[in-house]
Amino acid sequence: MALETNLSSLAALEYIPYIDDRGQLPEQFQGKIGVYAIFDQEKVLQFVGYSRDVYLSLKQHLVRQPQQCYWVKVQTIERPSRTILENTENAWIAENGSVPWGNGDQKEKWTHPIDIKVVMTPEEQASYQNPANDELAQIKILKNVARRVEAEISTQLLEVRGLQMQIRFNPKLKEEGLLDLK
């Protein structure tokens, strides 16, 4: 099997707006396998990852870290090869000169569902931890907190950033205190 050798350095790739002027994510990456680098508003590298569907991964990251996702650089490959993807990811991180915060201690915030328990208000925490609550009452509180956080994310993305696509969260995960796209 021939290895793909036409992979670009991070610096050689163009910045692509995370959300275009129509309020959409870069649709050309739907169903595409590749490595991607996410940058903040000042084009400072925040996270490098790879995926079997770059578009879906970009959507997940936008919901999890909306304030960090303003620009993206992507290198697609035709055939899945974890080795090529990992090597490219590592090369881009090395090229950056330091590990982006999203690939270090904060990686879970980029790669795992949002844990709404860590963003509960003191009032929500007190209500959740009330010894009089049974499991159903706690689930109801988690769902309400999840709805609040979901509304905050939607407001950030829809109103502030101009996103024009529908964001749907998995309703079953809300009962567990997690938010992730469906």
Side-chain angles (χ1 to χ4, degrees), residues 7 37 55 63-64 72 77 90 132-133 145:
L7 298 175
Y55 179 83
V63 167
R64 293 174 184 155
V72 64
I77 64 173
N90 292 331
N133 287 340
V145 174

Side-chain angles (χ1 to χ4, degrees), residues 23-130:
Q24 302 295 316
L25 297 182
E27 293 172 349
Q28 68 266 35
F29 301 120
Q30 275 187 318
K32 300 288 185 185
I33 302 161
V35 183
Y36 53 90
I38 298 172
F39 299 83
D40 67 10
Q41 214 165 357
E42 285 77 39
K43 297 183 179 175
V44 174
L45 183 62
Q46 300 296 307
F47 180 79
V48 179
Y50 60 87
S51 176
R52 291 179 150 267
D53 188 333
V54 171
Y55 179 83
L56 287 179
S57 293
L58 293 178
K59 193 172 173 182
Q60 288 278 23
H61 294 307
L62 181 63
V63 167
R64 293 174 184 155
Q65 295 295 320
Q67 298 305 319
Q68 310 304 324
C69 301
Y70 278 83
W71 300 95
V72 64
K73 291 185 176 189
V74 178
Q75 172 72 59
T76 59
I77 64 173
E78 291 305 312
R79 281 191 260 149
S81 166
R82 183 175 296 263
T83 303
I84 291 172
L85 295 169
E86 285 176 351
N87 288 345
T88 304
E89 176 186 53
N90 292 331
W92 286 4
I93 290 171
E95 180 183 341
N96 187 55
S98 64
V99 176
W101 77 274
N103 291 89
D105 294 343
Q106 302 298 312
K107 190 165 189 168
E108 274 192 21
K109 291 183 178 181
W110 287 85
T111 59
H112 290 75
I114 299 166
D115 181 357
I116 59 109
K117 290 178 187 170
V118 299
V119 293
M120 283 181 158
T121 65
E123 296 80 19
E124 290 166 337
Q125 285 177 347
S127 179
Y128 180 74
Q129 293 170 349
N130 185 336

